[in-house]
Amino acid sequence: MAQMLDGKSVRDKIAVELTAQIAKLDQKPELVIFQIGDVAESNTYIGQKIKFGEKIGAVVTLVKLPEDISQAEVIKEVEAKNQDETVNGIIVQLPIPKTLDKEEIIQTIDPKKDVDGQNSKTLKLLMEGKDCFIPATTQGVLTLLEHYKISLAGKHAVIVGRSTLVGKPTALAFLNKDATVTIAHSKTENLKQETRNADILIVAIGKPKMITKEFVKAGQVVIDVGINVVDQSSETRDQRPEKPKLVGDVDFENVKDIVEAITPVPGGVGPMTVASLFQNLLVAYESQNS
Ligand code: NDP
């Protein structure tokens, strides 16, 4: 059976380090999270961020905006937090209502406070291989691999998914670490052949258990970024309503016996994303106060 890449335990280790660093600061670093509308899954992700932030001694301010808010009002809210010197980091929890222009809102975030690395100025720095806030999920993957001493230089990384949130920044960050990178997506032909060629396979698709054992081979490291909420009653013959459960994009049960190392879902990349966000917040605090 594959080695488990345990994001929860690495997150807890990072929490201890961040708590000690924050305890020494004059002021607590503050993260502002904008939540627009009321997507149930966003509530879960935001809850995890608030819980982690409070645990390490940071301030996490949730700004809830109504679903029917205008674009101009959102921009005004973000600009006010840009100007607020007590705020060190700003994120807009995605998804946001389709009536709003996501791009314009994200571009409004001050790059100095862009702790989720989504602003195009930040992404340009990443593309150029310069110092910047690496998007939290990508940074989480890098930190997890580093923790388990899995090197990237010279390795063939195949990334399935090309979103601006996960796939593309992960490809750039891996390239910056001297991996040879292939990006696959929904139009890729012979996906199984591509994924089987990887030394390190990163999956960020959003399709429950799509990567079955036919997509992998022995010796690979598999990083499952996917978080999918599935109805448990559809998985069992038991017709009683069950609590929804989280599964990844990888068919973990069948893949884990083939590959060398794998992240579980939950408990793999998800906790690392939260920890990385707050590592970025601390970097933002330090650069704003130096
Ligand atoms: P997007 O929907 O933005 O992107 C999905 C990508 O997967 C697209 O590039 C798409 O290709 C590709 N794709 C879709 N279907 C297939 C297919 N059948 N074969 C190959 N590629 C396919 O999703 P995100 O990147 O935002 O998120 C991906 C997953 O990661 C989701 O489950 C999300 O919940 C999770 N996530 C987890 C985080 C964490 O902290 N662990 C953080 C952020 C996201 P194309 O471009 O051609 O359409």
Side-chain angles (χ1 to χ4, degrees):
M1 174 159 153
Q3 178 185 22
M4 276 316 113
L5 305 177
D6 180 358
K8 268 192 197 161
S9 73
V10 182
R11 171 201 61 192
D12 291 345
K13 190 172 154 277
I14 294 171
V16 172
E17 290 163 7
L18 290 177
T19 306
Q21 287 172 36
I22 290 174
K24 289 187 207 143
L25 301 176
D26 299 335
Q27 265 181 319
K28 290 181 174 188
E30 180 175 350
L31 173 71
V32 168
I33 305 176
F34 283 102
Q35 181 181 18
I36 311 172
D38 195 22
V39 176
E41 283 168 34
S42 293
N43 290 330
T44 312
Y45 297 139
I46 290 169
Q48 288 165 356
K49 288 166 189 163
I50 293 174
K51 194 170 156 202
F52 186 87
E54 286 175 351
K55 183 174 165 185
I56 61 168
V59 176
V60 184
T61 305
L62 176 60
V63 180
K64 281 185 153 213
L65 302 175
E67 186 152 8
D68 59 356
I69 191 167
S70 72
Q71 179 79 7
E73 281 170 304
V74 179
I75 300 286
K76 209 169 125 195
E77 293 277 350
V78 175
E79 277 171 348
K81 296 299 180 190
N82 282 343
Q83 299 306 321
D84 184 341
E85 286 186 1
T86 64
V87 173
N88 308 104
I90 300 172
I91 62 167
V92 175
Q93 185 68 43
L94 301 176
I96 62 172
K98 292 202 168 22
T99 46
L100 296 168
D101 178 349
K102 180 179 91 179
E103 272 313 303
E104 189 193 16
I105 293 168
I106 286 172
Q107 298 315 323
T108 305
I109 300 173
D110 182 340
K112 292 195 288 299
K113 300 188 179 186
D114 179 28
V115 287
D116 203 14
Q118 289 296 296
N119 187 297
S120 59
K121 288 198 176 107
T122 314
L123 290 169
K124 182 170 177 282
L125 291 172
L126 181 63
M127 198 179 76
E128 292 166 349
K130 293 186 179 151
D131 245 10
C132 64
F133 293 119
I134 295 178
T137 302
T138 299
Q139 183 58 55
V141 171
L142 293 176
T143 307
L144 192 63
L145 290 172
E146 197 179 293
H147 177 84
Y148 284 98
K149 302 193 172 23
I150 298 168
S151 66
L152 301 185
K155 301 276 177 65
H156 183 197
V158 175
I159 297 163
V160 191
R162 56 176 166 180
S163 69
T164 312
L165 186 63
V166 186
K168 283 178 187 158
T170 304
L172 289 171
F174 271 54
L175 204 53
N176 292 343
K177 299 263 179 201
D178 297 328
T180 302
V181 178
T182 299
I183 309 177
H185 45 77
S186 68
K187 308 289 185 298
T188 297
E189 287 179 9
N190 297 325
L191 184 62
K192 284 180 192 161
Q193 196 177 309
E194 296 294 342
T195 56
R196 285 171 61 84
N197 271 334
D199 298 314
I200 302 174
L201 176 62
I202 315 285
V203 187
I205 309 174
K207 298 257 157 74
K209 300 187 184 178
M210 198 197 103
I211 300 299
T212 54
K213 61 182 181 181
E214 291 78 22
F215 287 76
V216 299
K217 66 169 195 219
Q220 292 182 313
V221 174
V222 177
I223 306 290
D224 187 356
V225 178
I227 299 180
N228 307 286
V229 182
V230 295
D231 179 4
Q232 284 204 76
S233 59
S234 66
E235 294 220 317
T236 64
R237 291 202 190 128
D238 191 341
Q239 292 306 304
R240 279 174 303 168
E242 299 266 5
K243 250 174 78 180
K245 80 166 191 179
L246 296 184
V247 300
D249 291 342
V250 175
D251 181 4
F252 179 84
E253 280 309 315
N254 293 310
V255 165
K256 74 177 191 321
D257 295 325
I258 299 173
V259 300
E260 188 168 308
I262 188 166
T263 55
V265 176
V269 177
M272 292 303 300
T273 298
V274 177
S276 302
L277 183 67
F278 284 90
Q279 284 180 314
N280 282 349
L281 181 70
L282 215 70
V283 172
Y285 176 96
E286 277 159 5
S287 73
Q288 289 157 29
N289 289 282
S290 63

